[in-house]
Amino acid sequence: MAKRNTLFIRIVEGKNLPIKDITGSSDPYCIVRIDNEAIIRTATIWKTLSPFWGEEYNVHLPPSFHTISFHVLDEDSLSRDDVIGKVSINKEALAAKPQGLDGWVNLTEIDPDEEVQGEIHLQISVLGDVPRILRCQVLEARDLAKKDRNGASDPFVRVRYNGKTHESAVVKKSCYPRWNESFEFELDDAPLDTPLSVEVWDWDLVSKNDFLGKVLFNIHRLQSAHQEEGWFRLVPDKPKHSQHEGTLGSLRLQLRLRDETVLPSGHYQPLTELLCQSVGPHLNGNWPDLIMLIDETTTAESRQEVASNLVKLFLGQGLAKEFLDVLFKLELDKTSEPNTLFRSNSLASKSMESFLKVAGMQYLHRLLGPLINRIFEEKKYVELDPNKVELKEAGCTGLHRVHTEAEVIQQSTSLLQSYLSELLHAIVQSASYCPVALCQAFQQLYQCVNKRFPEPEYRKVKFIAVTSFLCLRFISPAIMSPKLFHLREKHADARTSRTLLLLAKAIQTIGNLDTLTCCSKEPWMGPLQPAIQLGITQLKDFISRLVSCDNSEDLGLQQRMSLQCGSMEKEGFILLHKTKDKSMLMTSPFKKYYVTLSKDTLSYARTQHSKKSSFISLPRIRAVEKVEEKSFGSANVMQIISSRDNGLVETLYLDCKSVNELNQWLSALRKACSHNTDTMSSYHPGIYKGDRWSCCHQKDKADPGCDKTKHGVTLQEWYDPLDPDLESQLIYRHLIGVRQAMRKKYQEMIKPEEEDDRETLEGEKKLDGVTRLFSVLQDLQNSHTAVEEEEERLKNRNFLLELQT
């Protein structure tokens, strides 16, 4: 059994942001933080006060997280980025709305006194009878906010009680200080409701001390327990009223927190088997189809998520083709007009769309990657619409003569024809490496549509059915937004975006197999008509070749999908620094290596195809954590701590290009090592240099660490392995939510005379798939109830033991 906290994040757009640049605009981007730990940075949208990001993320979180915040900044190339504002939402607000949050939220001013983080280790006790003494022992703190330019703070503690104040010593340049100091107060003269306040401050020689957080204690409750010890989360002071509320603009966010208890695999086996039987060839056509019932009762708001979960479950079972076949037939049975086929956001359309993204992302990268990189690197000005041509943007022809409008359109046509030709050539050549799962799905779709509309006047419909998914829902969106499909790290600028949009329009027209409609709506696309007409012929030939290929000698679908979706492989050039035995860092800088994460090892070599490489066995990795910025002067350094054969430890430091690359590598390695047993519970976020650790100033090299490891925060990536238990749990949760609607729909669908047919010759009742589903759901619900009751019992037992102690 496992607890899974998954947070879906969609940063949609912003509006009415303040002007930060002398140009009268801003260059905004967002930093997403979980408990003040930066995990995501959006792309910068240049020269706008109403940016659109449209970026989506799924983040797996530990149950102990408290807050998610979105910091909006203005990027500056010559100076420090300007802070615009932030949005903070706590876990309780997310949990209160299980359907999710979707709407505009005003940005608020960032108050330094509210930007607190970290924990403090305290032991508070009541001693003696007369007089009674309150003793507060301040031991240490960890992960404090960085307030100084050197990437650290100079923290000290201020303890207040009943008008008296004590202060600890100042620990210089550390966010992980250790004090080990005790302070005492007399209790007899203080009112019962007087709180004990423990505040942490950053000491500054010249300016005002910076507030780092505080903890308040109820002394009346403490007197009955006599002692309290532990790590306590620092909280901000009372929030101040913002003078700029409503003037900093707002963000449109979509957030949904899912707290899932995933049971052992055996609990989900009946549900999985039932769903697999519902798409099998042995279906009894006299009974309402189970998949059809799910289709009828799934709302538009949840259709995308349900489709994605079902696709992943059937992919893991090797039945994706059969599942999609059932949906295709359901959609065709409901369609009388072939021109509207698969144009709505039905469960069939959403499932095929999800299937392409899960099973075809590597194919898409190989298909589009070279062309997208070429367009980004060339940054040519391309425009076909005379009403949008900007001659200044087009530049000069020579001798400072500005291009004419006709010359700009002619050059743009030539460039787009070149791009389109390269794209079509890549599509035609991709028939040789298109994944077998995609080939089988398109083959099934093509045959189903051809059988439903065999008339000669509908001979194009079977091709359009394939292109509506391949071109309109997969290739074209990836061209328009390459960052959202992981083809580029950043969004395109305005010029490149326009080029991509025109190219996407062209491939959409080819996908529709109709040049006349496009040219009638947008006549300025006319110069591309010959290239589009040729593209239609090439695309139809490609589809004919794709759907006629024989996959009988290829790998089985389940095995092939495990190769495509089940690998943890990640690779790329990265700066690397290696130390052994936690020894002093050498003066040599980071060196560039090609790092590859495979199923069993992390290897690195000077070139991608180098024969000589070093590697770390994944089971030997004990911790994967971030490194303090002050250690190397970079905020994007991570460390991999592993053990060697002789029992000594070895640390590998990786300097990433951005916060996104950093968290991608952290997530990939943490997931790859999630089943390791010899892991560390604490670590040093600094480095051992000179004769001490830079983070906590401890001199012992073997010191176990001053911060706790953070195994829980990971990003979900498209290349993650399939998780059948989690998908089954998500499907169960959806079906429980629509169970009553399914019962009602089921009663409407069955005929009265069919009730008698359920009696077998032996007189026993034969249960159909839907009735069995209700029984399986009830069993799963009982299992979850039993788990919750056991957790509550253990919680109460621990509470009683704590009281007795």
Side-chain angles (χ1 to χ4, degrees):
M1 186 185 70
K3 284 278 190 181
R4 310 279 181 91
N5 275 309
T6 303
L7 180 63
F8 169 77
I9 302 171
R10 186 165 191 256
I11 307 166
V12 186
E13 57 185 322
K15 66 179 181 181
N16 302 327
L17 300 184
I19 297 171
K20 290 292 183 179
D21 299 336
I22 58 174
T23 59
S25 187
S26 291
D27 305 313
Y29 66 92
C30 281
I31 294 287
V32 183
R33 298 177 181 271
I34 300 293
D35 292 339
N36 288 308
E37 179 184 359
I39 61 167
I40 295 166
R41 184 200 191 277
T42 68
T44 300
I45 309 299
W46 305 99
K47 299 179 182 179
T48 180
L49 301 180
S50 300
F52 178 84
W53 289 286
E55 298 189 19
E56 295 182 2
Y57 304 91
N58 279 289
V59 185
H60 301 301
L61 300 170
S64 57
F65 94 96
H66 298 92
T67 306
I68 178 173
S69 58
F70 302 83
H71 292 239
V72 183
L73 297 93
D74 166 62
E75 183 170 336
D76 288 325
S77 56
L78 300 178
S79 60
R80 180 176 295 185
D81 295 348
D82 299 316
V83 176
I84 294 177
K86 75 166 186 176
V87 170
S88 290
I89 302 172
N90 59 35
K91 181 181 179 180
E92 289 71 24
L94 292 170
K97 292 194 174 182
Q99 75 279 10
L101 300 173
D102 183 358
W104 290 95
V105 187
N106 287 335
L107 291 167
T108 59
E109 189 178 9
I110 296 180
D111 183 353
D113 288 347
E114 293 183 31
E115 299 301 300
V116 303
Q117 65 185 68
E119 299 172 307
I120 186 168
H121 188 190
L122 303 170
Q123 184 184 78
I124 304 170
S125 53
V126 177
L127 307 175
D129 293 325
V130 180
R132 291 181 304 160
I133 301 298
L134 173 63
R135 175 182 292 173
C136 177
Q137 188 171 0
V138 181
L139 302 174
E140 56 187 324
R142 62 190 179 196
D143 196 26
L144 298 179
K146 305 169 184 64
K147 294 293 184 178
D148 298 337
R149 290 188 176 182
N150 59 19
S153 291
D154 304 318
F156 68 93
V157 176
R158 184 177 291 160
V159 186
R160 302 174 186 269
Y161 182 73
N162 195 28
K164 296 182 179 180
T165 302
H166 294 294
E167 289 187 356
S168 72
V170 176
V171 179
K172 295 292 188 69
K173 299 180 182 179
S174 177
C175 293
Y176 300 85
R178 294 184 181 180
W179 293 285
N180 289 321
E181 297 186 37
S182 294
F183 306 102
E184 295 183 351
F185 303 89
E186 290 188 7
L187 275 175
D188 294 336
D189 297 334
L192 287 176
D193 58 349
T194 303
L196 173 69
S197 173
V198 180
E199 302 171 354
V200 185
W201 292 81
D202 167 52
W203 178 83
D204 286 322
L205 177 63
V206 179
S207 59
K208 181 182 176 183
N209 294 338
D210 299 310
F211 179 70
L212 295 177
K214 70 177 182 179
V215 182
L216 294 177
F217 291 92
N218 185 322
I219 300 303
H220 178 64
R221 183 173 64 86
L222 181 65
Q223 289 184 44
S224 59
H226 295 290
Q227 181 173 311
E228 189 165 353
E229 180 182 357
W231 286 94
F232 301 94
R233 179 171 171 258
L234 295 170
V235 298
D237 211 344
K238 292 182 180 179
K240 302 173 184 177
H241 181 71
S242 175
Q243 298 178 350
H244 302 280
E245 189 170 355
T247 64
L248 299 176
S250 54
L251 286 182
R252 186 186 169 200
L253 302 170
Q254 294 176 357
L255 305 171
R256 185 173 62 251
L257 178 65
R258 290 285 160 78
D259 182 5
E260 300 292 346
T261 299
V262 181
L263 302 173
S265 300
H267 290 271
Y268 299 108
Q269 188 173 351
L271 176 62
T272 303
E273 290 177 352
L274 187 59
L275 290 172
C276 290
Q277 291 171 9
S278 71
V279 300
H282 56 280
L283 274 177
N284 185 352
N286 294 328
W287 300 107
D289 185 17
L290 179 58
I291 299 298
M292 178 170 62
L293 197 61
I294 295 175
D295 182 20
E296 294 285 343
T297 55
T298 301
T299 62
E301 293 78 13
S302 60
R303 198 168 289 144
Q304 180 67 67
E305 183 184 6
V306 173
S308 177
N309 295 333
L310 286 170
V311 163
K312 291 179 181 178
L313 183 137
F314 285 112
L315 276 171
Q317 298 298 319
L319 291 171
K321 183 186 76 169
E322 289 77 5
F323 169 62
L324 293 171
D325 183 39
V326 171
L327 291 178
F328 293 155
K329 291 175 180 176
L330 288 174
E331 185 81 0
L332 287 165
D333 289 342
K334 294 186 289 186
T335 304
S336 57
E337 175 54 51
N339 291 330
T340 62
L341 188 61
F342 298 114
R343 296 301 172 119
S344 65
N345 290 322
S346 62
L347 186 63
S349 297
K350 289 295 184 183
S351 295
M352 186 62 176
E353 193 175 316
S354 297
F355 171 74
L356 290 174
K357 290 180 179 178
V358 175
M361 195 64 79
Q362 290 182 349
Y363 165 75
L364 183 75
H365 283 206
R366 183 172 176 181
L367 175 70
L368 292 182
L371 176 60
I372 295 296
N373 291 336
R374 175 191 168 190
I375 294 173
F376 269 76
E377 290 164 6
E378 290 182 352
K379 292 186 178 180
K380 299 285 188 180
Y381 179 76
V382 177
E383 185 55 73
L384 296 181
D385 187 352
N387 296 323
K388 294 184 178 179
V389 171
E390 297 182 11
L391 299 180
K392 291 182 179 179
E393 286 285 332
C396 303
T397 61
L399 299 177
H400 304 289
R401 186 178 73 83
V402 177
H403 280 290
T404 64
E405 182 180 292
E407 288 173 336
V408 171
I409 293 176
Q410 183 180 359
Q411 290 184 6
S412 299
T413 302
S414 178
L415 275 170
L416 281 173
Q417 286 174 341
S418 173
Y419 296 148
L420 190 58
S421 175
E422 182 178 337
L423 174 58
L424 289 167
H425 177 74
I427 291 174
V428 171
Q429 295 298 313
S430 73
S432 62
Y433 60 81
C434 183
V436 61
L438 266 63
C439 291
Q440 290 180 339
F442 286 132
Q443 193 175 57
Q444 198 70 25
L445 175 61
Y446 183 91
Q447 293 172 355
C448 287
V449 175
N450 189 41
K451 184 178 179 180
R452 174 67 176 83
F453 297 103
E455 296 84 1
E457 61 268 27
Y458 298 140
R459 60 184 180 275
K460 290 199 306 183
V461 174
K462 55 182 177 291
F463 290 99
I464 294 176
V466 176
T467 59
S468 65
F469 290 112
L470 180 63
C471 296
L472 275 62
R473 291 178 181 258
F474 196 43
I475 295 178
S476 181
I479 292 173
M480 286 192 289
S481 302
K483 184 181 186 300
L484 302 185
F485 285 77
H486 314 286
L487 287 160
R488 299 287 297 189
E489 288 189 3
K490 295 184 178 181
H491 283 301
D493 56 23
R495 174 182 286 194
T496 306
S497 292
R498 182 60 179 170
T499 304
L500 295 173
L501 177 62
L502 292 172
L503 180 60
K505 282 179 176 289
I507 201 65
Q508 285 175 354
T509 305
I510 293 173
N512 287 322
L513 307 184
D514 185 8
T515 59
L516 297 178
T517 303
C518 173
C519 293
S520 62
K521 292 181 178 179
E522 296 172 329
W524 43 267
M525 289 284 288
L528 288 180
Q529 187 168 357
I532 290 174
Q533 194 63 51
L534 177 62
I536 291 174
T537 303
Q538 292 176 307
L539 190 61
K540 289 177 71 175
D541 291 342
F542 165 73
I543 292 171
S544 299
R545 182 180 167 195
L546 196 67
V547 300
S548 61
C549 62
D550 182 15
N551 299 309
S552 59
E553 297 181 359
D554 208 323
L555 292 172
L557 178 59
Q558 188 170 359
Q559 181 183 356
R560 183 68 172 268
M561 283 314 305
S562 68
L563 293 175
Q564 292 166 354
C565 306
S567 65
M568 282 297 301
E569 291 189 1
K570 182 174 176 60
E571 56 187 359
F573 281 104
I574 199 166
L575 296 176
L576 185 146
H577 188 94
K578 183 177 180 181
T579 64
K580 295 182 179 180
D581 309 331
K582 292 285 187 181
S583 57
M584 182 192 306
L585 288 170
M586 307 303 293
T587 56
S588 59
F590 282 88
K591 295 180 180 179
K592 190 175 182 181
Y593 284 83
Y594 194 84
V595 183
T596 303
L597 173 63
S598 61
K599 183 179 180 181
D600 301 311
T601 61
L602 178 75
S603 59
Y604 49 96
R606 296 310 297 267
T607 62
Q608 182 176 358
H609 304 291
S610 175
K611 295 181 180 179
K612 185 179 179 181
S613 63
S614 302
F615 69 92
I616 300 173
S617 176
L618 294 186
R620 290 186 176 275
I621 294 180
R622 303 187 61 197
V624 181
E625 298 294 338
K626 293 182 180 179
V627 177
E628 276 191 307
E629 181 177 357
K630 69 175 184 178
S631 300
F632 295 104
S634 170
N636 302 317
V637 178
M638 59 180 283
Q639 58 179 314
I640 303 169
I641 305 172
S642 60
S643 59
R644 293 189 290 169
D645 293 334
N646 57 8
L648 298 178
V649 295
E650 183 176 81
T651 305
L652 192 68
Y653 294 97
L654 276 63
D655 188 4
C656 303
K657 292 181 291 186
S658 64
V659 65
N660 286 347
E661 185 182 56
L662 170 66
N663 283 290
Q664 287 166 6
W665 276 102
L666 279 169
S667 297
L669 279 162
R670 285 171 176 171
K671 285 181 283 191
C673 302
S674 60
H675 299 294
N676 288 9
T677 55
D678 186 23
T679 56
M680 300 168 62
S681 59
S682 59
Y683 77 107
H684 285 285
I687 57 176
Y688 195 86
K689 194 172 184 179
D691 63 345
R692 65 187 63 198
W693 289 100
S694 63
C695 43
C696 57
H697 303 329
Q698 296 303 301
K699 295 185 177 182
D700 184 6
K701 288 183 183 179
D703 187 87
C706 54
D707 197 9
K708 58 183 179 181
T709 51
K710 304 177 179 65
H711 299 293
V713 181
T714 57
L715 298 176
Q716 181 176 313
E717 301 287 355
W718 62 267
Y719 49 76
D720 282 352
L722 299 174
D723 188 341
D725 291 346
L726 178 59
E727 303 306 333
S728 299
Q729 167 62 23
L730 295 174
I731 293 169
Y732 154 74
R733 179 179 40 74
H734 168 74
L735 294 178
I736 279 290
V738 298
R739 182 167 50 175
Q740 294 305 319
M742 291 181 71
R743 287 186 186 277
K744 183 178 179 181
K745 191 69 179 177
Y746 175 58
Q747 293 300 326
E748 296 173 358
M749 292 168 65
I750 61 175
K751 299 176 182 178
E753 59 269 19
E754 291 176 333
E755 296 283 352
D756 300 330
D757 294 338
R758 297 189 204 181
E759 299 296 328
T760 63
L761 293 175
E762 294 80 7
E764 296 179 355
K765 201 167 188 179
K766 179 183 176 183
L767 296 180
D768 60 273
V770 177
T771 306
R772 289 170 56 200
L773 174 66
F774 294 145
S775 176
V776 168
L777 292 179
Q778 186 61 53
D779 290 343
L780 271 171
Q781 190 174 36
N782 293 340
S783 297
H784 275 279
T785 302
V787 168
E788 291 170 2
E789 290 175 351
E790 179 65 15
E791 288 179 348
E792 188 66 25
R793 187 185 69 81
L794 291 175
K795 183 178 178 181
N796 292 336
R797 177 190 171 194
N798 292 337
F799 178 70
L800 290 174
L801 289 174
E802 196 174 305
L803 286 179
Q804 292 173 5
T805 304

